[in-house]
Amino acid sequence: MITLVERTRIPAPAEYVWRFLRELDARYADLHPEHLRWRTLRGEPLTEGAVVFAEEWIGPRRLSARFFICNVEEGRSFSYRIGFPASLVRAGGSFRLSPTAERECELVEEVHLGFRAPLVGLLVHPVLALVLPLAELRRH
């Protein structure tokens, strides 16, 4: 499995950051200049079962996908899986917030794709590394 992890210390309480994440429909472009659109299609933002459409630039590629929100721990974390065609390589990830001090927190973002099965991974992961802009994903 290919996994990318980014840790960011944020000078704001975790509750504030969670509220910001729940408002991504209106604030997605505020996170990163390459973000274009985030729209909740079904359910309430950041609740289990919600479906979100996201569109952004990853390097020279404009990517869009549906995200299916799952495993939500209100105010702390959520995970997601990405719909077809990214689902073919089991793409998904998570966001976790951890308080680190009185008025700050750490945001841990994890993106994963590929397969845990050793044989399948040995065959698929080199192809993914060639086809996908992994360096751009890490930078992003």
Side-chain angles (χ1 to χ4, degrees), residues 37-84:
R37 185 170 30 167
W38 175 280
R39 188 176 65 223
T40 302
L41 302 175
R42 185 176 71 213
E44 293 296 315
L46 296 192
T47 59
E48 279 192 49
V51 179
V52 174
F53 173 81
E55 187 173 18
E56 61 191 53
W57 288 99
I58 303 291
R61 294 186 181 159
R62 187 173 181 154
L63 301 176
S64 60
R66 286 184 184 217
F67 288 67
F68 298 86
I69 307 298
C70 49
N71 302 322
V72 176
E73 186 180 339
E74 181 69 28
R76 307 280 294 174
S77 67
F78 70 94
S79 59
Y80 61 87
R81 61 181 178 80
I82 302 176
F84 184 81

Side-chain angles (χ1 to χ4, degrees), residues 16-36:
Y16 175 83
V17 177
W18 184 262
R19 189 168 47 250
F20 181 91
L21 292 172
R22 285 189 54 101
E23 297 169 354
L24 281 180
D25 283 22
R27 304 177 83 177
Y28 192 57
D30 296 342
L31 278 175
H32 197 285
E34 295 172 348
H35 287 176
L36 301 173

Side-chain angles (χ1 to χ4, degrees), residues 5 44 87 132:
V5 178
E44 293 296 315
S87 61
L132 296 174

